[in-house]
Amino acid sequence: MSLTNFPGGCSSAPSTTPTTKVTMPALAEMKRQGKPISALTAYDYATSRLVDEAGIDLILVGDSLAMVVLGHENTLAITVDEMLHHTRAVRRAVRRALVVADMPFGSYHSSVAEGVANAVRFIKEAGAEAVKIEGPRVELVRALTAAEIPVVGHLGLTPQSVNRMGGFRVQARTAETVLQLKADALALAEAGAGVIVLEGVPREAAAAITAELPVPTIGIGAGPDCDGQILVFHDLLNLTFAPPAKFVRRYADAGALIHTAIEHYREDVEHRTFPSDEESYHLASAVREALDPAVKVQK
Ligand code: KIV
């Protein structure tokens, strides 16, 4: 883990971030070359640095932050201003990965013009390099592309549709809905989407779409045949408080690690073993001598 140059003086090994900047065309080239694309969500400066330095290709400032960071039940409540705030923090941290900002619910649903205006804010005010929108919004993708805003589409289980879907349910389980999903993905790509996230769909559907689509697919709960994979940062590290979905693989138990560390800190404070003398600042001896004996530091 490298925390070199963090404000606050943390230090560790030097950064190992691969230097070639990831761009939308670079992701297309990865698909052409059959190179898997790694993607992960991140929402703040410290974790984005870790994600970027680990060599992840695409960082999504997902609206999942409403749930995993802010404690909402679903993603619907988060606002454009809240998403901008987190996107700026991620942008400050990331050197290599492509930074994609999720457009929140309500920010592109009333009109194409409103969607473009809000997307411009993510590029201009927060430094995002692409925006992600949910659903087969072909006209909006066309308008964003015309406005020079790279687009990541998102199909299948689209969390902003939770009320219409009646819960977070796997989509495209019938032949008819698989064909509709494929048609939607092709239409988004034709309109200019450079990447399509496929979430919560059967492996076979994602594989068929990935094989036909000219742009990369990135799967989450969509099986191993997509061009890339994305997970939510907090799921990967067990920083959530609910049982994980079937598709989540826990790569570390950061929740347990943090819990234990904080308990040790509390115990040290309670036993007065933190901070130690070595962890304290000291007066110069001349200053110590000049002080009233009552306020002298005992050494
Ligand atoms: O908001 C999010 O984290 C997402 C990913 C699950 C793709 O949209």
Side-chain angles (χ1 to χ4, degrees), residues 62-64 66 74-83 101-110 114-115 118 122 132-135 137 158-164:
D63 63 354
S64 50
N74 55 46
T75 60
L76 302 181
I78 195 140
T79 65
V80 170
D81 286 336
E82 288 170 320
M83 290 297 300
D102 225 353
M103 301 270 292
F105 176 67
S107 68
Y108 57 97
H109 298 73
S110 310
E114 190 193 26
N118 281 319
F122 280 98
K132 180 169 82 57
I133 58 166
E134 295 186 8
R137 296 173 191 276
T158 46
Q160 291 174 10
S161 317
V162 59
N163 288 328
R164 177 179 55 74

Side-chain angles (χ1 to χ4, degrees), residues 282-293 295-297 299:
H282 289 285
L283 291 171
S285 52
V287 180
R288 268 208 319 263
E289 294 309 316
L291 283 173
D292 182 290
V295 295
K296 275 187 187 169
V297 178
K299 274 222 81 182

Side-chain angles (χ1 to χ4, degrees), residues 41 43 60-65 75 102 132 134 154 159 197 199 220 230-232:
T41 68
Y43 317 100
L60 171 69
V61 190
D63 63 354
S64 50
L65 90 83
T75 60
D102 225 353
K132 180 169 82 57
E134 295 186 8
H154 184 164
V197 170
E199 176 168 357
I220 174 164
I230 185 163
L231 277 178
V232 168

Side-chain angles (χ1 to χ4, degrees), residues 15-244:
S15 167
T16 53
T17 313
T19 48
T20 319
K21 182 76 185 80
V22 179
T23 60
M24 283 295 250
L27 296 179
E29 185 54 30
M30 287 176 78
K31 177 173 177 118
R32 275 191 289 277
Q33 294 184 9
K35 282 193 189 156
I37 297 166
S38 59
L40 192 58
T41 68
Y43 317 100
D44 62 32
Y45 179 82
T47 58
S48 298
R49 272 199 68 154
L50 295 170
V51 173
D52 194 40
E53 292 180 9
I56 292 291
D57 299 312
L58 183 157
I59 295 181
L60 171 69
V61 190
D63 63 354
S64 50
L65 90 83
M67 299 170 75
V68 297
V69 176
L70 303 179
H72 291 288
E73 227 173 78
N74 55 46
T75 60
L76 302 181
I78 195 140
T79 65
V80 170
D81 286 336
E82 288 170 320
M83 290 297 300
L84 285 169
H85 174 77
H86 286 267
T87 305
R88 284 186 202 106
V90 172
R91 177 68 278 171
R92 284 192 283 271
V94 173
R95 297 287 169 270
R96 176 184 173 272
L98 184 82
V99 175
V100 180
D102 225 353
M103 301 270 292
F105 176 67
S107 68
Y108 57 97
H109 298 73
S110 310
S111 70
V112 167
E114 190 193 26
V116 173
N118 281 319
V120 166
R121 292 192 67 193
F122 280 98
I123 306 292
K124 217 179 174 73
E125 297 177 31
E129 294 159 316
V131 296
K132 180 169 82 57
I133 58 166
E134 295 186 8
R137 296 173 191 276
V138 175
E139 285 322 307
L140 177 57
V141 171
R142 215 182 290 289
L144 290 168
T145 304
E148 309 294 348
I149 299 173
V151 184
V152 174
H154 184 164
L155 296 172
L157 193 175
T158 46
Q160 291 174 10
S161 317
V162 59
N163 288 328
R164 177 179 55 74
M165 294 182 306
F168 296 114
R169 298 183 196 291
V170 174
Q171 303 293 298
R173 285 189 179 279
T174 64
E176 193 188 357
T177 51
V178 170
L179 291 176
Q180 184 60 55
L181 184 68
K182 194 198 286 188
D184 290 344
L186 286 166
L188 287 182
E190 186 275 324
V195 170
I196 310 276
V197 170
L198 295 174
E199 176 168 357
V201 298
R203 172 179 181 171
E204 297 77 9
I209 292 167
T210 300
E212 275 203 31
L213 215 59
V215 301
T217 60
I218 297 190
I220 174 164
D225 308 301
C226 295
D227 297 303
Q229 297 292 329
I230 185 163
L231 277 178
V232 168
F233 181 90
H234 291 61
D235 284 340
L236 180 118
L237 294 169
N238 194 22
L239 289 169
T240 56
F241 298 91

